[in-house]
Amino acid sequence: MHTVSYSVLCTLPDLPTARSYKDWLTQGHVQAVLAGGATGVEVVELISDDPRPRIEVRYSFEDQAAFDRYEKVHAPALRADGAARFGSIPGVWFERRIGSVIFRSGSGVEPL
């Protein structure tokens, strides 16, 4: 079984909205995803020529079954909360990606 990588990329219209989004993520949302089954998380502020702030959140799940449980049980309420807070703001755009991790390296090469 492969680890599942789940990422959410958010493009935001301006810095004040980006600050609010980062605060929301780091003051409860990512902790709720971890409590819902994720085994790790990274919140990355992307560097780009695009003047709009872009933040990517990268979660790891032990396997597809753990991710499927998260999607079924926890994700609907968490996504609804995010949509309620940021979905009506013009210029906010979300993109989700899901994949199987086939290689990971840390302090050494770790075949998966």
Side-chain angles (χ1 to χ4, degrees), residues 11-15 48-54:
T11 302
L12 300 132
D14 53 45
L15 291 175
S48 167
D49 291 336
D50 189 329
R52 297 170 299 172
R54 297 173 74 205

mmCIF file of all heavy atoms in Angstrom, residues 11-15 48-54:
data_model
loop_
_atom_site.group_PDB
_atom_site.id
_atom_site.type_symbol
_atom_site.label_atom_id
_atom_site.label_comp_id
_atom_site.label_asym_id
_atom_site.label_seq_id
_atom_site.Cartn_x
_atom_site.Cartn_y
_atom_site.Cartn_z
ATOM 1 N N THR A 11 -5.484 29.959 -4.370
ATOM 2 C CA THR A 11 -5.057 31.252 -4.895
ATOM 3 C C THR A 11 -5.965 32.299 -4.268
ATOM 4 O O THR A 11 -7.189 32.132 -4.243
ATOM 5 C CB THR A 11 -5.177 31.283 -6.434
ATOM 6 O OG1 THR A 11 -4.374 30.226 -6.970
ATOM 7 C CG2 THR A 11 -4.716 32.621 -6.990
ATOM 8 N N LEU A 12 -5.344 33.347 -3.756
ATOM 9 C CA LEU A 12 -6.089 34.372 -3.016
ATOM 10 C C LEU A 12 -5.913 35.731 -3.686
ATOM 11 O O LEU A 12 -4.898 35.980 -4.343
ATOM 12 C CB LEU A 12 -5.594 34.407 -1.569
ATOM 13 C CG LEU A 12 -5.798 33.052 -0.874
ATOM 14 C CD1 LEU A 12 -4.562 32.605 -0.160
ATOM 15 C CD2 LEU A 12 -6.988 33.105 0.028
ATOM 16 N N PRO A 13 -6.873 36.624 -3.515
ATOM 17 C CA PRO A 13 -6.829 37.887 -4.256
ATOM 18 C C PRO A 13 -5.851 38.927 -3.715
ATOM 19 O O PRO A 13 -5.416 39.813 -4.453
ATOM 20 C CB PRO A 13 -8.265 38.406 -4.159
ATOM 21 C CG PRO A 13 -8.776 37.833 -2.883
ATOM 22 C CD PRO A 13 -8.116 36.476 -2.767
ATOM 23 N N ASP A 14 -5.499 38.835 -2.419
ATOM 24 C CA ASP A 14 -4.672 39.890 -1.828
ATOM 25 C C ASP A 14 -4.030 39.390 -0.535
ATOM 26 O O ASP A 14 -4.371 38.319 -0.022
ATOM 27 C CB ASP A 14 -5.500 41.155 -1.575
ATOM 28 C CG ASP A 14 -6.762 40.872 -0.765
ATOM 29 O OD1 ASP A 14 -6.684 40.141 0.248
ATOM 30 O OD2 ASP A 14 -7.843 41.358 -1.158
ATOM 31 N N LEU A 15 -3.103 40.183 -0.003
ATOM 32 C CA LEU A 15 -2.378 39.787 1.211
ATOM 33 C C LEU A 15 -3.260 39.709 2.462
ATOM 34 O O LEU A 15 -3.101 38.782 3.256
ATOM 35 C CB LEU A 15 -1.191 40.725 1.447
ATOM 36 C CG LEU A 15 -0.053 40.588 0.422
ATOM 37 C CD1 LEU A 15 1.012 41.647 0.665
ATOM 38 C CD2 LEU A 15 0.547 39.196 0.490
ATOM 39 N N SER A 48 6.196 32.882 -6.595
ATOM 40 C CA SER A 48 5.765 32.869 -7.985
ATOM 41 C C SER A 48 5.830 34.276 -8.558
ATOM 42 O O SER A 48 5.855 35.262 -7.817
ATOM 43 C CB SER A 48 4.326 32.344 -8.040
ATOM 44 O OG SER A 48 3.733 32.559 -9.275
ATOM 45 N N ASP A 49 5.830 34.357 -9.871
ATOM 46 C CA ASP A 49 5.734 35.650 -10.539
ATOM 47 C C ASP A 49 4.303 36.191 -10.487
ATOM 48 O O ASP A 49 4.072 37.363 -10.754
ATOM 49 C CB ASP A 49 6.176 35.528 -11.998
ATOM 50 C CG ASP A 49 7.669 35.265 -12.120
ATOM 51 O OD1 ASP A 49 8.416 35.624 -11.190
ATOM 52 O OD2 ASP A 49 8.088 34.692 -13.146
ATOM 53 N N ASP A 50 3.369 35.320 -10.161
ATOM 54 C CA ASP A 50 1.964 35.719 -10.044
ATOM 55 C C ASP A 50 1.840 36.633 -8.825
ATOM 56 O O ASP A 50 2.268 36.268 -7.729
ATOM 57 C CB ASP A 50 1.092 34.472 -9.869
ATOM 58 C CG ASP A 50 -0.390 34.762 -9.960
ATOM 59 O OD1 ASP A 50 -0.818 35.868 -9.576
ATOM 60 O OD2 ASP A 50 -1.130 33.870 -10.397
ATOM 61 N N PRO A 51 1.277 37.821 -8.974
ATOM 62 C CA PRO A 51 1.179 38.728 -7.821
ATOM 63 C C PRO A 51 0.172 38.263 -6.763
ATOM 64 O O PRO A 51 0.210 38.742 -5.633
ATOM 65 C CB PRO A 51 0.738 40.051 -8.445
ATOM 66 C CG PRO A 51 0.052 39.666 -9.710
ATOM 67 C CD PRO A 51 0.741 38.413 -10.193
ATOM 68 N N ARG A 52 -0.697 37.335 -7.131
ATOM 69 C CA ARG A 52 -1.678 36.849 -6.159
ATOM 70 C C ARG A 52 -1.008 35.848 -5.210
ATOM 71 O O ARG A 52 -0.256 34.984 -5.646
ATOM 72 C CB ARG A 52 -2.843 36.175 -6.865
ATOM 73 C CG ARG A 52 -3.629 37.114 -7.769
ATOM 74 C CD ARG A 52 -4.604 36.351 -8.618
ATOM 75 N NE ARG A 52 -3.845 35.419 -9.461
ATOM 76 C CZ ARG A 52 -4.387 34.478 -10.222
ATOM 77 N NH1 ARG A 52 -5.694 34.316 -10.251
ATOM 78 N NH2 ARG A 52 -3.643 33.685 -10.957
ATOM 79 N N PRO A 53 -1.288 35.948 -3.918
ATOM 80 C CA PRO A 53 -0.747 34.958 -2.985
ATOM 81 C C PRO A 53 -1.311 33.570 -3.293
ATOM 82 O O PRO A 53 -2.492 33.427 -3.639
ATOM 83 C CB PRO A 53 -1.235 35.448 -1.616
ATOM 84 C CG PRO A 53 -1.641 36.868 -1.810
ATOM 85 C CD PRO A 53 -2.057 36.995 -3.240
ATOM 86 N N ARG A 54 -0.450 32.564 -3.167
ATOM 87 C CA ARG A 54 -0.874 31.178 -3.373
ATOM 88 C C ARG A 54 -0.316 30.343 -2.227
ATOM 89 O O ARG A 54 0.868 30.413 -1.918
ATOM 90 C CB ARG A 54 -0.373 30.666 -4.716
ATOM 91 C CG ARG A 54 -0.983 31.472 -5.869
ATOM 92 C CD ARG A 54 -0.401 31.112 -7.200
ATOM 93 N NE ARG A 54 -0.936 29.806 -7.586
ATOM 94 C CZ ARG A 54 -0.314 28.981 -8.406
ATOM 95 N NH1 ARG A 54 0.848 29.277 -8.913
ATOM 96 N NH2 ARG A 54 -0.876 27.833 -8.720
#
